[in-house]
Amino acid sequence: MGVAHDYATAVMKRGRVAMEPADFVPDWADRPRKEKFFPGLPAFRLPDGDYPAVASLQAGLHGPGGDGEFSLPLLGGMLRDSYGLLGRRLGVQANTDLGSLPLYTHANFWRGTASGGGLYSVGVYWAAGPSAPVLPGLYHYAPPRHAMTRLLAGDVSGEVREALGAGAGEPGADGDQFLVLGVKFWQNSFKYNSFAYHVVATDVGSLVQTWRMWAAARGLSIGPVMWFDEERLAALLGTTTREEGVFAVVPLRWAGAAARPAPEPAPAVVHRDQERSRVLIDFPTVDAMQAATVAGGTRRPAPDALRAAAVRGPEPGGTRVALPEAYPLEMDVRRALRERRSSFGRFDARVPLDAARLHAVLRAADSAAAYRTDVTPDGHAPLVAWYVFVNHVDGIAPGSYAYDPFDGRLRLLKAGEPGAFLQANYFLSNYNLEQAGAVVVPAVRTPAVIDAAGDRGYRLVGALIGATAQAVYTASAAAGVGCGVALGFDAVSYIEELGLEQRGERPVLIMMVGNDAPGGADFRYDITGAGEGR
């Protein structure tokens, strides 16, 4: 388990020691496509998936969930709202690539799910068994066309189920519909080199969190499986684990589904995606992390193994500030996903952030941290601790605080305006953190998670944090406030500032929330159908 520990330490210290190769510069002229492309293969367009005509399932950002069953319209709607391209947006803001975005060849399309540094897609495959209203087979979702491309004909659901090792009562044991989430490393490492492994792990969590919210609003439930025979699934996809990691499998409850045995001989996709880049570069650190996490895929930790990695709540005593009742997030999920965007330097501190809206965002983030997987069942021990730097929040004095999700209070850690610290420890120039109302910081006992779950536990950490980022984005949209999420900060300084060394916690993300400056110049064009449900 030394590989993941070493990688986690390198990520934590990258604000002070550049990750190797330190002299790497992306070749933007030879960048890859943002998704896999299979020209010439049969495909069909998915429906957009309107809401069911049940009013109780349309109200609010957080739905009831339940044991409902998927259908083709529901699957199409979930994929459209999460990863489908919804339109094009441009705004006068401080992001460093603004100079290229107005160019047609660099068109900045947008979607409902956030990702690290751009629309680098997690590959979504559908293993469609006989209960689906399409030819059984393996399909790849093409976001630009909102279509499924058929890679292989024939029922492969048994092969997926056996790769999961799904015994009686386990996720996917009785079904024949699965979404398989793959990460083609080059699509991200071309920009982030060795840091790419961290980025793609969070991207998977962000996507699944969108699905969780979307499904819950329709009486459905989503729970990814993260431990399985990855080599077997990579062979089914016609790739290798070194080229493309399979990070999660999501079983779908479907009407009429029934488990069937795996076919013999084992099936495999023979088609290759068309790569745009002329030169592909290997990054030894990414290769080493992938090999280490693949090796532990079939050794699933016990459901209670991660209790050893649980975080503690804020220390007792001290000055505590009660937050007001959380602002009600009544906007429906589809609209919130369409309103989600990054503020990129548009925060304006002249109007303080409403404390009730801050509380709503914190509650949404903590709910997302209860990320249910095959190793984190419902009600699992908390793995994420919450810290808040308050700059400009109505009724709350500036300072750094620990948030207690159990009683909705903030415990003061250090009084005084934190803006200078925040800005001094941010890498980029696209945000003025002092102008944000508050900066929310999730922290995880990452080494303890790896000790408890093995190297593959690093993927779980990324998934948890990606889920909280997506939850904060959508909650901010529903609350009518601006939001920005960033990975580029000096985590060591945050550990020192918040006193986290003794707790074994490592901050892994910063999430800024506040009011944007009014009257900003914006351009927005929705692709036909994207505005439905608004």
Side-chain angles (χ1 to χ4, degrees):
M1 293 188 289
V3 175
H5 277 299
D6 290 346
Y7 186 78
T9 299
V11 169
M12 179 185 69
K13 294 182 176 180
R14 75 185 188 99
R16 304 183 178 193
V17 181
M19 298 181 71
E20 294 295 337
D23 59 350
F24 175 77
V25 177
D27 182 358
W28 290 100
D30 196 35
R31 63 186 181 274
R33 293 184 178 87
K34 294 183 177 182
E35 60 280 316
K36 298 179 82 170
F37 177 50
F38 298 92
L41 294 186
F44 68 91
R45 182 176 173 82
L46 287 166
D48 283 347
D50 291 336
Y51 279 43
V54 180
S56 63
L57 297 185
Q58 298 185 37
L61 191 59
H62 300 290
D67 296 328
E69 295 173 330
F70 272 89
S71 62
L72 188 61
L74 287 172
L75 176 62
M78 186 173 77
L79 293 177
R80 159 67 84 184
D81 290 348
S82 60
Y83 250 23
L85 301 187
L86 301 176
R88 192 177 181 197
R89 298 191 298 205
L90 294 171
V92 176
Q93 32 95 337
N95 201 24
T96 52
D97 59 358
L98 184 62
S100 68
L101 294 182
L103 300 178
Y104 178 77
T105 53
H106 295 172
N108 187 34
F109 291 96
W110 59 282
R111 66 185 184 206
T113 301
S115 65
L119 299 183
Y120 307 117
S121 295
V122 174
V124 179
Y125 301 89
W126 179 22
S131 65
V134 298
L135 182 69
L138 186 68
Y139 296 81
H140 177 262
Y141 178 58
R145 297 183 292 159
H146 186 50
M148 284 289 182
T149 303
R150 192 175 74 233
L151 306 180
L152 185 154
D155 181 14
V156 300
S157 61
E159 182 72 7
V160 176
R161 190 168 45 254
E162 290 196 10
L164 299 184
E170 294 182 335
D174 302 320
D176 68 353
Q177 308 294 326
F178 301 91
L179 295 178
V180 180
L181 304 188
V183 172
K184 185 178 177 181
F185 292 112
W186 176 242
Q187 287 177 340
N188 199 286
S189 61
F190 89 95
K191 176 182 179 181
Y192 286 115
N193 61 75
S194 297
F195 187 54
Y197 202 90
H198 183 82
V199 175
V200 298
T202 62
D203 282 355
V204 170
S206 296
L207 176 57
V208 175
Q209 175 62 19
T210 301
W211 290 353
R212 290 176 67 206
M213 294 187 296
W214 199 98
R218 292 155 183 80
L220 307 166
S221 295
I222 289 287
V225 179
M226 301 185 70
W227 266 257
F228 43 78
D229 187 341
E230 191 167 340
E231 297 277 7
R232 187 168 182 172
L233 289 182
L236 170 63
L237 300 179
T239 185
T240 66
T241 56
R242 187 167 181 259
E243 176 185 353
E244 183 171 2
V246 182
F247 274 53
V249 177
V250 178
L252 301 178
R253 185 186 296 272
W254 205 283
R260 292 169 173 81
E264 294 183 5
V269 171
V270 298
H271 304 287
R272 298 284 296 176
D273 68 303
Q274 187 180 91
E275 176 55 62
R276 180 184 182 275
S277 297
R278 297 181 299 275
V279 177
L280 278 67
I281 302 171
D282 289 326
F283 296 95
T285 301
V286 173
D287 290 344
M289 271 297 289
Q290 174 63 355
T293 54
V294 168
T298 58
R299 299 191 295 272
R300 181 175 296 145
D304 62 349
L306 285 159
R307 291 188 179 278
V311 295
R312 305 194 309 267
E315 299 295 336
T319 301
R320 292 177 179 260
V321 179
L323 290 167
E325 184 176 351
Y327 180 86
L329 302 178
E330 297 177 346
M331 184 182 291
D332 65 69
V333 174
R334 169 166 281 185
R335 182 179 175 189
L337 291 171
R338 281 157 169 71
E339 297 300 321
R340 182 204 66 81
R341 68 183 304 168
S342 296
S343 287
F344 284 135
R346 286 179 287 196
F347 288 124
D348 186 344
R350 287 176 293 180
V351 179
L353 176 64
D354 176 31
R357 286 174 166 80
L358 173 62
H359 196 188
V361 168
L362 289 170
R363 287 186 58 185
D366 188 65
S367 174
Y371 195 87
R372 179 171 61 86
T373 72
D374 50 331
V375 297
T376 52
D378 287 334
H380 66 79
L383 298 177
V384 182
W386 299 102
Y387 300 92
V388 185
F389 289 93
V390 172
N391 287 319
H392 314 281
V393 178
D394 190 26
I396 302 178
S400 57
Y401 297 82
Y403 170 61
D404 190 339
F406 295 101
D407 66 6
R409 292 174 179 267
L410 298 175
R411 181 184 185 276
L412 181 65
L413 301 177
K414 183 178 180 180
E417 296 181 354
F421 165 80
L422 294 169
Q423 198 62 30
N425 289 283
Y426 183 59
F427 298 166
L428 305 177
S429 58
N430 55 2
Y431 283 103
N432 182 345
L433 275 69
E434 192 279 332
Q435 288 291 296
V439 177
V440 179
V441 183
V444 180
R445 297 179 62 220
T446 304
V449 173
I450 296 170
D451 286 341
D455 285 330
R456 202 171 179 90
Y458 193 88
R459 294 187 182 183
L460 177 62
V461 172
L464 288 171
I465 298 309
T468 65
Q470 182 65 11
V472 167
Y473 264 127
T474 49
S476 297
V481 296
C483 180
V485 175
L487 295 166
F489 68 102
D490 184 5
V492 176
S493 293
Y494 276 68
I495 291 172
E496 295 168 352
E497 182 74 7
L498 295 170
L500 304 185
E501 185 65 37
Q502 295 301 316
R503 298 170 65 91
E505 297 169 358
R506 295 182 178 180
V508 285
L509 200 67
I510 58 174
M511 301 184 286
M512 297 147 275
V513 184
N515 292 306
D516 287 344
D522 288 289
F523 168 85
R524 172 170 174 164
Y525 177 79
D526 289 353
I527 295 174
T528 301
E532 293 177 4
R534 292 183 60 199

